């Protein structure tokens, strides 16, 4: 039998809370059981923390709310939550004469009425992915020309912005990383309740979340993490009283705190009380009592701290009980509508604003309106240039926000929304900032022009260090070296993971034999020729808001060293490269949210117009993701249009390590491994070849290297089955640590060792045998002698002359940013290997 906290545990935890000490989960659990006088002391401690936070935020004594309309886009859902009356079936809707979804006209009519009444937020609420369960939903979407519910939501958000000026807050349930990326440009904020981290409630028949795939706690935590990586101001929270234990309740609160600290994107946490509803499986469960509710609010406030915005819905308690919620530490009432009911809790009408203002005032607070996105994020984006809100929404938010008053970021007094264009015009990218591309570098290789938000953009370093603890552990040999080597000699392309890991961790004589085998395979496949391409790297902008923790290249737009090249400047550089003998331009840039939607197409077209025979090797998978979000095109349609604009192949960069455990330590907002795979696979399917890469030697270990190569093998097998070229080469990229934030923060190792470099290049040749013929070594990162060693360990290609290689230079590489052909020839001559020029696709150059 499980026993609750003892009175002694409650008193001890309460004393610590009153002293301002940090609580652990056991203490939080104890406080959740507080009653009587101890509960009053607990809520008083929480209220003091709340008050200190409001003072620090510049809003002392102010409680906020969002004037909104509630738009129930569809009540169909694939889940079966046991407490929900919002959801209906298609037959129920049909009996009442309603379509599966609100039509565009119905959505806009609700939004227009709300705007006339002074509402500022359009809350889009709907069930999770109804088309996955209900054929009627998919049929309606097909008839209207939408691929999915989320595609319809995106389109309707744009129309609400353009035709009413209300700010959409999207609450469509579980979303993937890609879907969040596509929705961020149309919504200043989004939301999804975590509800609980209890797997028991999800897995046990008859309990609250059984039979609801979208209520898997792991899935919902992943959504919160992905939203944080995207920098989306996100509303979440816990649902209290649905059968969770006090332990599970405390665990949920701490999970919310961990996410908020890691990414800074949790804009508010809702503490919502369960209320039983008729005609549901949980209709006989008692409503959450007020005392238990107060304790949950107070503990949430104490655990999340003064910076958190804690919300409680005012319509789910009696109006007089709202005083108790304020006394427990909330500082926000959430959305309140003068027009629409709470469709999730239709039996609980909103209180009038006058009555809510009066209750708030009796507790000593002023009630002020805010936007759907909280003031901190409004000011951060519109004043400080941070990337919380997509630039296409800046004008919409600025039209409603008070940026000049005593409490900047709140709603402007008496403002009425009006429609504004959403999609920016297809303007020409203008040149801005420095264009010499090179930063000053000190004697130790560290750059002196770090981005101005260096201390905050990468997330919470303590959380990063904690996440990194499990990624860099040394691999253990599981097979005898001789057996593994013989297996590689017999069938190199089909090594078991155990044998591959044994050889990847080889040292001494075994490593020498692995290198010898790789070199023999290289000679067998491509001969002794060392190849290179005459090319120029054009980094067309260094403005980037992703927050990769290994990158010293990125700048904010307002930083003095930020630059963006115009289309003409890009074309000029391509022309210069052609005149110097280049056959390829490799073009990549930062993820700049202010790039025009057509920028990627226009950049490729500008080069091809100026130099028709130049091969355009451009746009990493991360840039493709950015392009799809900005254009609204699918991955396939975006790549087809890019190809039509002149794109010839894609660099397989942004791969880093294709294991999300490592990726989420290395990067804050980069695409997950599955999306990288989808993009390169789509490119292969439509006939665009790509390279493949792996950056190693940071927080990874040899097991990750083996796994990464296995992923590439599977992708290439699929390409070959479809008759595509697939990967033209594999490029191992040693981590350059010198100015990398993740190294400066003490998280990453200082790059790979010589042993690591030899093992990775050799094992790439062995494991990719018969699939990828060309293994490239990076002279930029390894230097002349290191490059020669790799050429004798299975590599056969030197990459390009580059002419510019800003990214490695900014990270502190000591080996220059360009090589002449003579210098590349000299690298091969040092090991008695002939050197010859190639094209991007490894053909023989034929220039007119």
């Amino acid at each position: 039998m499980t026993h609750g906290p003892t009175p002694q545990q409650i008193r001890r935890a309460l004393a610590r809370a009153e002293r301002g000490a940090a609580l652990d989960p056991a203490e939080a659990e104890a406080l959740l059981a507080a009653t009587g006088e101890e509960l009053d002391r607990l809520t008083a401690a929480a209220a003091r923390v709340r008050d200190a936070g409001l003072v620090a935020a510049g809003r002392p004594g102010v409680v906020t709310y969002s004037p909104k309309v509630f738009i129930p886009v569809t009540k169909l859902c694939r889940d079966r939550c046991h407490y929900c009356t919002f959801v209906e079936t298609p037959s129920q809707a049909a009996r009442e004469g309603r379509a599966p979804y609100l039509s565009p006209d119905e959505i806009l009519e609700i939004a227009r009425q709300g705007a006339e009444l002074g509402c500022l937020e359009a809350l889009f609420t709907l069930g999770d992915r109804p088309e996955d369960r209900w054929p009627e939903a998919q049929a309606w979407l097909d008839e209207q020309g939408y691929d999915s519910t989320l595609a319809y939501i995106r389109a309707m958000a744009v129309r609400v912005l353009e035709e009413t000026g209300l700010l959409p807050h999207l609450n469509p349930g579980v979303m993937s990383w890609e879907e969040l990326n596509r929705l961020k440009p149309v919504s200043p904020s989004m939301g999804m309740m975590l509800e609980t981290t209890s797997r028991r409630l999800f897995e046990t028949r008859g309990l609250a979340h059984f039979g609801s795939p979208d209520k898997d706690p792991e899935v919902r935590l992943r959504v919160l993490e992905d939203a944080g990586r995207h920098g989306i101001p996100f509303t979440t929270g816990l649902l209290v009283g649905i059968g969770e234990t006090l332990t599970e309740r405390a665990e949920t609160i701490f999970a919310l705190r961990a996410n908020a600290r890691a990414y800074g994107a949790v804009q508010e946490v809702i503490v919502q009380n369960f209320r039983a509803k008729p005609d549901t499986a949980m209709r006989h469960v008692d409503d959450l009592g007020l005392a238990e509710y107060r304790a949950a609010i107070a503990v949430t406030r104490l655990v999340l701290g003064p910076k958190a915005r804690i919300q409680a819905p005012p319509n789910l308690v009696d109006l007089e009980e709202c005083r108790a919620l304020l006394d427990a530490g909330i500082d926000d009432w959430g959305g309140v509508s003068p027009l629409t009911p709470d469709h999730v809790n239709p039996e609980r009408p909103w209180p009038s604003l006058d009555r809510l203002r009066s209750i708030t005032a009796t507790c000593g607070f002023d009630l002020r309106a805010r936007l759907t996105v909280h003031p901190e994020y409004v000011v951060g984006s519109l004043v400080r240039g941070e990337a919380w809100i997509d630039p296409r929404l800046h004008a919409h938010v600025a039209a409603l926000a008070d940026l000049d008053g005593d409490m900047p970021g709140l709603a402007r007094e008496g403002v009425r929304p009006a429609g504004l264009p959403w999609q920016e015009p297809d303007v020409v990218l203008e040149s801005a900032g420095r264009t010499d591309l090179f930063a000053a570098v000190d004697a130790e290789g560290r750059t002196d022009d770090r981005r101005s938000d260096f201390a905050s953009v990468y997330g919470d370093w303590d959380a990063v260090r904690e996440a990194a603890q499990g990624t860099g552990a040394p691999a253990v040999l599981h097979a005898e070296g001789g057996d593994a080597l013989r297996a590689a000699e017999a069938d190199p392309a089909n090594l078991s993971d155990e044998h591959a890991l044994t050889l990847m961790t080889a040292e001494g004589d075994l490593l020498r034999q692995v290198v010898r085998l790789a070199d023999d395979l290289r000679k067998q496949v491509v001969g002794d020729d060392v190849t290179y391409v005459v090319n120029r790297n054009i980094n067309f902008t260094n403005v980037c808001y992703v927050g990769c923790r290994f990158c010293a290249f990125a700048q904010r737009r307002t930083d003095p060293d930020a630059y963006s090249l115009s289309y003409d400047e890009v074309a000029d550089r391509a022309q210069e490269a052609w005149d110097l003998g280049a056959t390829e331009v490799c073009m990549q840039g930062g993820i700049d949210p202010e790039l025009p939607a057509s920028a990627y197409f226009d950049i490729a077209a500008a080069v091809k117009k100026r130099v028709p025979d130049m091969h355009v090797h451009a746009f990493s998978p991360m840039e493709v993701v950015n392009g799809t979000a900005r254009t609204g095109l699918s991955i396939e349609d975006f790549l087809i249009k890019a190809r039509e604009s002149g794109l010839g192949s894609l660099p397989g960069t942004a791969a880093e390590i294709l294991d999300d455990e490592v990726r989420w330590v290395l990067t804050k907002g980069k695409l997950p491994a599955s999306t990288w795979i989808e993009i390169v696979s789509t490119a292969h399917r439509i006939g665009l070849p790509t390279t493949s890469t792996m950056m190693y030697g940071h927080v990874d270990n040899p097991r990750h290297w083996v796994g990464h190569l296995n992923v590439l093998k599977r992708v290439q097998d699929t390409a070959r089955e479809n008759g595509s070229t697939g990967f033209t080469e594999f490029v191992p990229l040693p981590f350059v640590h010198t100015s990398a934030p993740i190294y400066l923060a003490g998280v990453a190792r200082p790059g790979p060792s010589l042993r690591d470099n030899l093992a990775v290049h050799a094992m790439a040749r062995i494991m990719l045998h018969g699939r990828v013929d060309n293994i490239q070594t990076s002279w930029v990162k390894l230097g002349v002698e290191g490059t020669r060693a790799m050429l004798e360990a299975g590599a056969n290609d030197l990459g390009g002359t580059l002419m510019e290689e800003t990214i490695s230079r900014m990270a502190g590489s000591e080996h220059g940013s360009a090589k002449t052909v003579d210098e590349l020839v000299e690298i091969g001559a040092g090991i008695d290997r002939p050197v010859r020029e190639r094209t991007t696709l490894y053909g023989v150059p034929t220039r007119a």
Side-chain angles (χ1 to χ4, degrees):
M1 177 178 290
T2 301
H3 299 282
T6 66
Q8 183 180 17
Q9 289 171 323
I10 295 173
R11 287 194 297 271
R12 186 183 303 119
L14 181 57
R16 284 178 52 77
E18 290 178 322
R19 292 199 306 270
L23 302 176
D24 63 25
E27 292 166 334
E29 179 184 349
L31 293 174
L32 287 167
T35 58
E37 180 187 353
E38 289 167 339
L39 176 57
D40 292 339
R41 289 168 57 192
L42 172 65
T43 58
R48 287 193 294 273
V49 173
R50 180 267 321 279
D51 293 344
L54 290 175
V55 170
R59 299 192 299 277
V62 170
V63 169
T64 50
Y65 78 101
S66 175
K68 74 173 182 185
V69 290
F70 197 125
I71 302 178
V73 177
T74 178
K75 293 187 175 183
L76 303 183
C77 183
R78 71 176 181 178
D79 292 322
R80 298 173 172 84
C81 298
H82 294 194
Y83 47 77
C84 180
T85 56
F86 174 75
V87 169
E88 64 184 7
T89 65
S91 59
Q92 288 174 313
R95 282 197 299 270
E96 297 181 16
R98 296 194 312 276
Y101 294 77
L102 292 182
S103 70
D105 288 344
E106 289 171 321
I107 289 172
L108 289 168
E109 181 58 26
I110 294 172
R112 288 192 188 101
Q113 291 181 29
E116 291 171 1
L117 292 173
C119 294
L120 306 178
E121 171 190 340
L123 171 62
F124 285 62
T125 296
L126 55 150
D128 276 82
R129 303 183 189 279
E131 64 269 34
D132 287 358
R133 179 181 177 188
W134 300 110
E136 295 90 340
Q138 187 62 63
W140 189 93
L141 292 168
D142 290 342
E143 290 171 3
Q144 301 298 317
Y146 295 100
D147 294 335
S148 66
T149 298
L150 291 183
Y152 182 54
I153 290 296
R154 188 181 196 272
M156 292 304 99
V158 171
R159 290 197 63 181
V160 166
L161 285 163
E162 292 194 323
E163 299 184 38
T164 74
L166 292 181
L167 301 178
H169 176 83
L170 304 185
N171 192 18
V174 167
M175 294 167 278
S176 68
W177 188 94
E178 297 85 351
E179 289 163 343
L180 286 163
N181 186 60
R182 288 173 64 82
L183 292 176
K184 180 175 180 176
V186 303
S187 183
S189 61
M190 298 184 222
M192 182 203 70
M193 292 285 284
L194 173 59
E195 298 193 7
T196 179
T197 56
S198 171
R199 294 205 64 78
R200 182 179 58 85
L201 296 182
F202 173 67
E203 295 173 345
T204 306
R205 183 177 295 278
L207 296 188
H209 287 156
F210 184 79
S212 300
D214 297 297
K215 294 304 173 78
D216 184 336
E218 291 182 6
V219 171
R220 297 181 87 77
L221 285 169
R222 189 262 304 156
V223 174
L224 294 186
E225 291 173 357
D226 287 346
R229 293 182 183 112
H230 279 298
I232 297 169
F234 209 75
T235 296
T236 185
L238 59 157
L239 181 56
V240 187
I242 56 173
E244 79 282 6
T245 65
L246 293 185
T247 300
E248 291 166 338
R249 196 174 296 171
E251 289 170 348
T252 302
I253 295 170
F254 274 84
L256 291 169
R257 185 182 75 169
N259 182 270
R261 288 185 174 181
Y263 305 107
V266 173
Q267 67 165 356
E268 61 186 332
V269 172
I270 303 171
V271 185
Q272 182 174 331
N273 54 320
F274 168 75
R275 297 197 67 112
K277 297 176 177 62
D279 301 322
T280 67
M282 294 180 66
R283 60 189 177 277
H284 298 305
V285 176
D286 291 337
D287 291 350
L288 184 76
L290 181 61
E292 197 171 353
Y293 192 20
R294 291 169 61 206
I297 291 170
V299 172
T300 302
R301 165 60 69 193
L302 291 170
V303 171
L304 269 70
K307 291 183 179 180
R309 306 277 77 84
I310 306 297
Q311 178 194 132
N315 61 317
L316 297 187
V317 296
D318 293 338
L319 191 61
E320 289 302 312
E321 293 174 335
C322 286
R323 291 190 178 91
L325 308 187
L326 283 167
D327 290 343
I330 70 165
D331 54 12
D332 188 82
W333 290 119
V336 178
S337 180
L339 175 67
T340 52
D342 178 352
H343 288 275
V344 176
N345 300 283
E347 77 284 5
R348 304 292 303 187
W350 306 109
S352 72
L353 283 178
D354 287 341
R355 297 186 68 192
L356 189 62
R357 183 172 285 108
S358 176
I359 288 288
T360 304
T362 63
C363 294
F365 294 94
D366 293 329
L367 184 64
R368 293 282 298 271
R370 61 167 172 85
L371 307 183
T372 177
V373 59
H374 276 255
E376 293 83 349
Y377 302 91
V378 173
V379 174
S381 294
L382 272 59
V383 178
R384 296 195 296 270
E386 297 166 357
W388 300 109
I389 301 171
D390 189 277
R392 280 170 287 187
L393 299 171
H394 283 189
H396 301 84
V397 175
L400 305 179
D402 182 356
L403 297 175
D404 301 317
D406 57 341
M407 298 180 189
L410 291 175
R412 191 150 19 96
E413 196 75 30
V415 70
R416 287 292 187 269
L420 292 170
W422 169 78
Q423 179 66 61
E424 80 278 27
D426 286 329
V427 299
V428 174
L429 186 65
E430 297 293 338
S431 176
R434 64 184 292 169
T435 57
D436 62 347
L437 305 184
F438 297 108
V441 179
D442 69 16
E444 296 182 356
R446 293 178 174 84
T447 59
D448 66 357
D449 57 350
R450 295 177 190 171
R451 56 192 298 165
S452 58
D453 56 355
F454 184 89
S456 61
V457 69
Y458 303 107
D460 182 82
W461 282 115
D462 289 336
V464 174
R465 290 187 188 94
E466 183 178 349
Q469 288 178 357
T471 64
V476 177
L477 297 180
H478 292 282
E480 198 277 328
D483 290 343
L485 186 64
R486 284 188 288 275
E489 290 170 337
D491 190 3
N494 294 297
L495 279 177
S496 68
D497 289 353
E498 185 179 30
H499 284 151
L501 184 58
T502 297
L503 298 183
M504 189 68 85
T505 55
E507 297 181 355
D509 185 60
L510 180 60
L511 178 60
R512 285 188 286 274
Q513 293 182 70
V514 171
V515 166
R516 175 197 51 77
L517 173 60
D519 202 42
D520 288 345
L521 290 172
R522 182 270 307 160
K523 187 170 185 177
Q524 172 188 326
V525 173
V526 295
D528 283 335
D529 285 359
V530 175
T531 52
Y532 69 92
V533 63
V534 179
N535 70 350
R536 182 173 194 171
N537 265 24
I538 303 177
N539 301 124
F540 51 85
T541 181
N542 68 347
V543 176
C544 188
Y545 286 84
V546 173
C548 293
R549 300 182 178 110
F550 58 84
C551 179
F553 167 74
Q555 301 283 308
R556 290 202 313 174
R557 179 166 291 280
T558 55
D559 289 343
D561 292 300
Y563 71 82
S564 295
L565 303 180
S566 70
Y567 300 144
D568 284 343
E569 287 173 320
V570 171
D572 289 344
R573 292 178 184 225
Q575 183 68 63
E576 291 169 3
W578 180 262
D579 293 343
L580 291 171
T583 58
E584 170 197 301
V585 287
C586 177
M587 300 191 297
Q588 298 180 82
I591 306 304
D592 180 359
E594 295 189 23
L595 279 179
S598 63
Y600 296 112
F601 310 135
D602 294 341
I603 288 170
V607 171
K608 294 300 283 187
K609 182 178 180 181
R610 184 74 63 84
V611 192
D613 293 330
M614 182 72 83
H615 183 96
V616 176
H617 180 67
F619 313 139
S620 72
M622 187 64 203
E623 291 171 283
V624 172
V625 165
N626 189 41
T628 60
R630 301 193 66 71
T631 61
L633 296 172
S634 68
I635 291 171
E636 181 169 345
D637 289 343
F638 178 88
L639 289 173
I640 288 172
K641 188 165 183 178
R643 183 183 63 189
E644 293 169 350
S645 300
L647 182 66
S649 58
L650 264 70
T653 49
E656 327 317 350
I657 293 289
L658 292 173
D659 182 309
D660 285 341
E661 177 188 35
V662 176
R663 295 179 74 77
W664 299 148
V665 176
L666 283 175
T667 74
K668 179 184 175 186
K670 219 163 195 178
L671 73 174
S674 59
T675 305
W676 188 95
I677 293 167
E678 181 184 4
I679 289 169
V680 298
S681 297
T682 302
H684 296 168
R685 188 173 65 251
I686 68 167
L688 279 174
T690 75
T691 61
S692 57
T693 64
M694 179 178 79
M695 187 182 73
Y696 62 98
H698 31 77
V699 297
D700 51 353
N701 68 54
R703 189 182 304 279
H704 297 121
W705 306 342
V706 170
H708 185 104
L709 290 170
N710 280 332
V711 170
L712 298 183
K713 286 166 59 176
R714 292 192 291 271
V715 172
Q716 186 70 341
D717 285 345
T718 300
R720 293 290 175 84
E721 289 169 3
N722 294 331
S724 302
T725 298
F727 297 129
T728 57
E729 65 203 50
F730 172 68
V731 189
L733 299 170
F735 171 58
V736 178
H737 70 282
T738 314
S739 295
I742 198 168
Y743 172 72
L744 298 176
V747 179
R749 303 191 301 278
S753 65
L754 175 61
R755 191 221 71 82
D756 294 340
N757 289 328
L758 289 170
V760 166
H761 284 75
M763 288 303 296
R765 171 60 69 185
I766 291 169
M767 293 181 66
L768 298 177
H769 180 67
R771 293 181 171 93
V772 180
D773 290 345
N774 300 294
I775 308 297
Q776 187 181 117
T777 182
S778 175
W779 57 259
V780 174
K781 300 178 188 298
L782 291 169
V784 171
E785 292 305 319
T787 299
R788 285 172 175 162
M790 300 311 117
L791 288 171
E792 294 184 307
N796 67 293
D797 187 73
L798 294 172
T801 55
L802 297 185
M803 301 185 191
E804 293 153 2
E805 218 292 342
T806 309
I807 295 173
S808 289
R809 182 65 169 165
M810 292 289 287
S813 174
E814 301 173 353
H815 304 298
S817 58
K819 291 286 185 189
T820 66
V821 171
D822 288 343
E823 288 173 319
L824 295 180
V825 170
E826 178 58 28
I827 291 175
I831 53 173
D832 296 323
R833 295 264 293 278
V835 177
R836 66 171 177 83
E837 184 182 354
R838 63 167 174 86
T839 64
T840 304
L841 304 183
Y842 286 82
V844 177
T846 55
R847 282 186 43 134

